[in-house]
Amino acid sequence: MLPALRRCRPGPVPLPALAAALGPGAFPGLGPGPFPGLCPAWSPRAVPARGRKTRHDPPAKSKAGRVKLPPPVDPEELLVVLERYRQHRLVLSALRAEFRAEVLQRKREERLAAEGSVEELEEHRRLMAWNEEENARQRARREERLRKEEEEQKRRKLEIAEKQARKMEAFLEEKEKEVLQLQEEAKNFITPENLEARIEECLDNPRNYNFAIDKDGRIVKRTVLS
Amino acid sequence: MPMKGRFPVRRTLQYLSQGDVVFKSSVKVMTVNYNTAGELSEGARKFVFFNIPQIQYRNPWVQIMLFRNMTPSPFLRFYLDSGEQVLVDVEDKTNKEITEHIKKILGKSKEMLEKEERERKKLSHPATFGPKKYHLRECMCEIEGQVPCPAFVPLPKEMRGKYKAAMKNEA
């Protein structure tokens, strides 16, 4: 059953001798209870301590016949004490659980009260509305910007088209002028028909291409042709 | 060697604790959509670069996600625990304006923060001493006006046990 009950030993207990040996204050609870079979060598004051030797050193010769026995136990007293401890601990843990639950409950209520209050919701809604307005303003600004950009682009396109048109016109004019000029010159061209006439003409009218120039840069074209 | 990145000041505790945006407990997720190029996203980029570390430091339980080059215009989106989504358009805004905006709509006000601070202070008593985790001082000898630690300043001999025992033996 209980492992402590194993320590109950048969045999007389030299109680008065023990009490005398260890002093009046040693056994406050061990009055009429101690079971027979106490071993005087195991006093409550001697606690095992390592001290000088390690666990691998052999024990001393004086300890050769030593018999170590666990402390004796009275079964009725044991049962009574265990039962009392059990009830005590049960009550204590129940109290603790109760207090813990109460504290948690209070914290939860406080949190809920702080969050779900009406003013908070109102405030939240107001802030969300303000956010919406801000977004709307941003949208308006963005549309404005996009509209301006579109206009700008259209204007630029128009400009480019105009410039292109003007360039085309100028080009065409140039070409027209050239064509007219060519037509004009064509009148003075030398063709196989008037080749002979033109040669005669050139030979009849000798042209003097010579000219004289002095150091001051004055050109004299009227020179003697030889 | 200890400085990493383009603006290592962002990694200092002083900079991080200067962030003043503390979100309400209903904010769970913050999502930022922005573009890596373009004049209009400049404010959002600066916000992500400079202010998000501060916000995350002050709100370690808020999930922050960044999406790059997914939409033509930048915006922020907050997901609250009631399922509500709050959209904030940040095109053409500076990062300071963005922080002011979100502080106004979803941040805890200064009074609330101060109240919480006071509540937290009430829990611990500054005069007690004990383990460093729970108290300011560990031993009585650290408190001003008390007997200093005998490890640094020897006790006067009248307070020492060996003197008192010697006196008793004499008497």
Side-chain angles (χ1 to χ4, degrees):
Chain A
M1 216 187 79
L2 286 166
L5 281 173
R6 269 192 247 128
R7 286 191 245 143
C8 305
R9 265 163 232 294
V13 178
L15 186 55
L18 258 179
L22 298 166
F27 301 150
L30 214 57
F35 202 80
L38 278 176
C39 177
W42 190 265
S43 74
R45 290 243 176 93
V47 173
R50 203 37 84 177
R52 196 176 52 85
K53 291 187 180 173
T54 58
R55 55 173 40 182
H56 308 287
D57 295 324
K61 280 187 287 193
S62 60
K63 304 279 183 294
R66 186 163 183 243
V67 174
K68 287 198 274 188
L69 292 172
V73 162
D74 178 36
E76 296 125 11
E77 192 203 1
L78 179 74
L79 287 170
V80 163
V81 160
L82 284 177
E83 180 59 31
R84 284 191 198 164
Y85 264 124
R86 190 185 70 84
Q87 283 169 357
H88 165 77
R89 282 176 194 149
L90 185 75
V91 168
L92 268 187
S93 78
L95 277 172
R96 278 190 210 120
E98 190 64 42
F99 293 143
R100 213 177 300 141
E102 190 187 322
V103 164
L104 275 175
Q105 179 68 13
R106 250 193 240 159
K107 261 206 202 145
R108 215 179 296 137
E109 271 173 15
E110 209 185 286
R111 197 163 50 85
L112 275 174
E115 276 186 7
S117 68
V118 182
E119 305 97 46
E120 287 237 3
L121 288 169
E122 265 298 315
E123 183 72 20
H124 189 256
R125 243 173 272 141
R126 194 178 62 81
L127 288 168
M128 292 301 113
W130 183 81
N131 186 45
E132 278 302 317
E133 282 168 24
E134 190 64 37
N135 281 351
R137 263 175 266 156
Q138 184 68 24
R139 236 197 325 271
R141 254 176 272 155
R142 187 186 314 129
E143 267 158 27
E144 184 69 31
R145 202 184 332 120
L146 286 171
R147 202 173 48 78
K148 275 214 185 81
E149 259 177 46
E150 269 194 43
E151 274 187 26
E152 183 71 27
Q153 250 187 331
K154 245 190 265 179
R155 200 178 54 79
R156 238 177 279 152
K157 260 202 188 144
L158 264 173
E159 246 187 58
I160 288 172
E162 262 178 43
K163 233 195 258 180
Q164 198 76 329
R166 256 177 274 148
K167 260 200 212 152
M168 259 342 255
E169 262 192 46
F171 181 73
L172 284 171
E173 255 193 54
E174 274 285 328
K175 289 297 176 213
E176 280 276 347
K177 247 196 282 181
E178 274 185 20
V179 165
L180 284 168
Q181 208 181 357
L182 206 60
Q183 274 181 350
E184 282 288 327
E185 284 175 12
K187 293 184 188 137
N188 294 348
F189 281 172
I190 299 178
T191 62
E193 289 86 28
N194 52 358
L195 178 69
E196 301 287 337
R198 287 297 281 273
I199 292 175
E200 293 292 324
E201 193 189 315
C202 284
L203 287 171
D204 289 336
N205 313 339
R207 272 198 66 178
N208 188 9
Y209 292 102
N210 300 334
F211 67 95
I213 186 162
D214 65 358
K215 286 195 185 148
D216 297 324
R218 286 179 290 194
I219 309 174
V220 172
K221 288 230 168 121
R222 232 164 47 119
T223 52
V224 177
L225 176 70
S226 58
Chain B
M1 177 119 112
M3 296 223 210
K4 290 188 182 168
R6 296 209 319 267
F7 281 81
V9 71
R10 293 176 297 147
R11 293 159 63 109
T12 57
L13 281 176
Q14 193 196 9
Y15 175 84
L16 291 172
S17 49
Q18 272 173 1
D20 49 3
V21 179
V22 182
F23 286 132
K24 295 187 186 141
S25 51
S26 55
V27 177
K28 299 293 178 207
V29 186
M30 174 167 117
T31 300
V32 185
N33 266 285
Y34 67 105
N35 296 330
T36 50
E39 264 300 317
L40 303 165
S41 254
E42 185 61 33
R45 278 198 294 275
K46 286 241 147 61
F47 174 74
V48 164
F49 192 72
F50 288 112
N51 298 100
I52 283 204
Q54 291 175 318
I55 294 174
Q56 182 81 96
Y57 182 75
R58 293 305 295 267
N59 305 279
W61 291 100
V62 169
Q63 181 181 10
I64 300 183
M65 294 222 58
L66 309 173
F67 295 105
R68 295 176 182 90
N69 299 323
M70 297 186 87
T71 64
S73 70
F75 61 92
L76 265 63
R77 208 182 204 118
F78 296 90
Y79 297 80
L80 310 184
D81 61 0
S82 57
E84 190 186 338
Q85 295 178 14
V86 183
L87 173 71
V88 178
D89 197 348
V90 299
E91 193 172 15
D92 208 12
K93 279 195 182 160
T94 61
N95 65 339
K96 226 176 156 51
E97 281 170 23
I98 300 172
T99 28
E100 288 300 323
H101 187 92
I102 59 177
K103 191 160 101 159
K104 178 164 176 178
I105 54 172
L106 287 166
K108 284 193 184 150
S109 62
K110 220 169 185 181
E111 303 93 44
M112 255 189 97
L113 282 170
E114 271 169 22
K115 194 165 76 154
E116 275 175 15
E117 186 67 37
R118 263 178 280 141
E119 296 284 309
R120 242 175 295 148
K121 265 205 166 132
K122 258 196 240 176
L123 293 170
S124 64
H125 199 296
T128 50
F129 55 91
K132 274 250 176 288
K133 191 173 167 192
Y134 304 106
H135 306 269
L136 294 169
R137 293 162 286 217
E138 270 201 311
C139 176
M140 176 75 104
C141 67
E142 293 175 40
I143 299 176
E144 317 72 53
Q146 297 295 335
V147 170
C149 189
F152 301 106
V153 171
L155 286 174
K157 61 180 192 312
E158 289 86 19
M159 288 195 210
R160 297 187 65 196
K162 84 195 263 182
Y163 179 81
K164 282 200 233 176
M167 288 285 114
K168 194 145 66 138
N169 280 351
E170 243 181 69

